[in-house]
Amino acid sequence: MAQGGYTKEMDRIIGSLEGRPRLLLHACCAPCSSAVLELLDRHFELTIFYYNPNIAPDEEYHRREQELECFLEQAGYPHITLIEPEYDPAEFYAAARGLEQEPEKGERCTACYKLRLEKTAKYAAENGFPWFTTTLSISPVKDPVRINSIGSEMAEKYGVSFLTSEFRKRDGYKRSLELSREYGLYRQDYCGCIFSKYEREAWQREKKQ
């Protein structure tokens, strides 16, 4: 599917739902989750899957997870469970091996998308979730084509359904900024992995020169 059609496809899927089926939502942080939860909570019985072995250092990983927990409580989502698999950065480094020098948005990001979406799809299949999706497509710097292609691939592999999305559309990203301000959410200045952190720091140094 070409970029731009994902939102219409999501609308079609949501319009065809019967009741509120269970959906496992891969989430990377509170800001990205905020507007997505606001949209999907009306249509699905949500469970959040905080699987992000790419995030470094450890302190950053735990800070983002705690911020997500706080947001769920403050924003009135006590009915949404947050599942946190074991944090093992070695899983990400294994997936990114040989791609360390790739620029942000390059093939290392593709490997990272695949790692996290496959884990989410597998968990969904093993635990009775008919649907899964991810908050990643709300970011203006993430590639929705790759995200949705990998999500669909993993859905077929594990026998579950993937909710296509481009959550940044229809002012989704703007809404996430509004909610972040409203709830005072911590907004990180790099994607998550140590390579994106180094790239961001190098850019900041060059900017100061």
Side-chain angles (χ1 to χ4, degrees):
M1 183 183 300
Q3 184 173 350
Y6 300 119
T7 302
K8 289 183 179 179
E9 176 64 9
M10 182 178 69
D11 289 345
R12 185 195 66 76
I13 291 170
I14 288 175
S16 68
L17 294 175
E18 295 183 3
R20 294 175 69 244
R22 298 175 73 207
L23 183 145
L24 188 65
L25 175 64
H26 167 262
C28 54
C29 62
C32 287
S33 302
S34 59
V36 176
L37 291 173
E38 189 175 66
L39 171 64
L40 295 185
D41 188 50
R42 290 172 279 174
H43 307 290
F44 294 93
E45 182 183 330
L46 298 176
T47 296
I48 290 177
F49 194 60
Y50 184 75
Y51 174 67
N52 301 289
N54 57 305
I55 297 177
D58 294 12
E59 293 81 5
E60 179 72 19
Y61 169 87
H62 292 296
R63 182 176 183 181
R64 296 189 193 190
E65 187 276 329
Q66 290 165 4
E67 192 76 350
L68 182 52
E69 282 191 345
C70 289
F71 174 73
L72 291 175
E73 180 178 350
Q74 294 171 1
Y77 296 112
H79 54 287
I80 296 179
T81 301
L82 190 153
I83 295 171
E84 182 186 1
E86 181 182 0
Y87 174 54
D88 184 3
E91 294 176 342
F92 168 70
Y93 292 119
R97 187 173 296 120
L99 303 170
E100 294 87 352
Q101 302 306 314
E102 281 282 305
E104 192 72 7
K105 303 182 186 179
E107 288 306 309
R108 186 180 64 245
C109 292
T110 303
C112 186
Y113 297 159
K114 185 173 182 179
L115 172 68
R116 291 187 282 172
L117 286 171
E118 179 158 18
K119 183 84 165 186
T120 306
K122 186 172 186 292
Y123 188 95
E126 292 174 346
N127 291 275
F129 291 89
W131 290 92
F132 79 102
T133 194
T134 178
T135 63
L136 291 173
S137 71
I138 201 166
S139 170
V141 299
K142 298 290 191 297
D143 181 357
V145 174
R146 278 185 283 177
I147 291 167
N148 284 283
S149 295
I150 294 169
S152 297
E153 176 188 344
M154 295 305 154
E156 183 174 351
K157 180 175 180 178
Y158 290 98
V160 291
S161 296
F162 178 71
L163 180 66
T164 59
S165 70
E166 194 169 357
F167 290 120
R168 66 192 184 191
K169 294 290 189 179
R170 295 177 179 167
D171 290 331
Y173 178 65
K174 179 181 177 182
R175 180 58 179 157
S176 74
L177 296 178
E178 293 171 348
L179 289 168
S180 294
R181 286 192 294 269
E182 180 180 345
Y183 290 96
L185 299 179
Y186 161 64
R187 293 187 64 85
Q188 57 280 356
D189 64 358
Y190 67 101
C191 175
C193 77
I194 200 66
F195 308 110
S196 65
K197 179 177 172 62
Y198 292 158
E199 190 171 316
R200 175 69 175 177
E201 290 172 348
W203 178 82
Q204 290 174 331
R205 287 194 298 270
E206 290 177 4
K207 188 177 179 181
K208 290 178 180 179
Q209 292 177 356

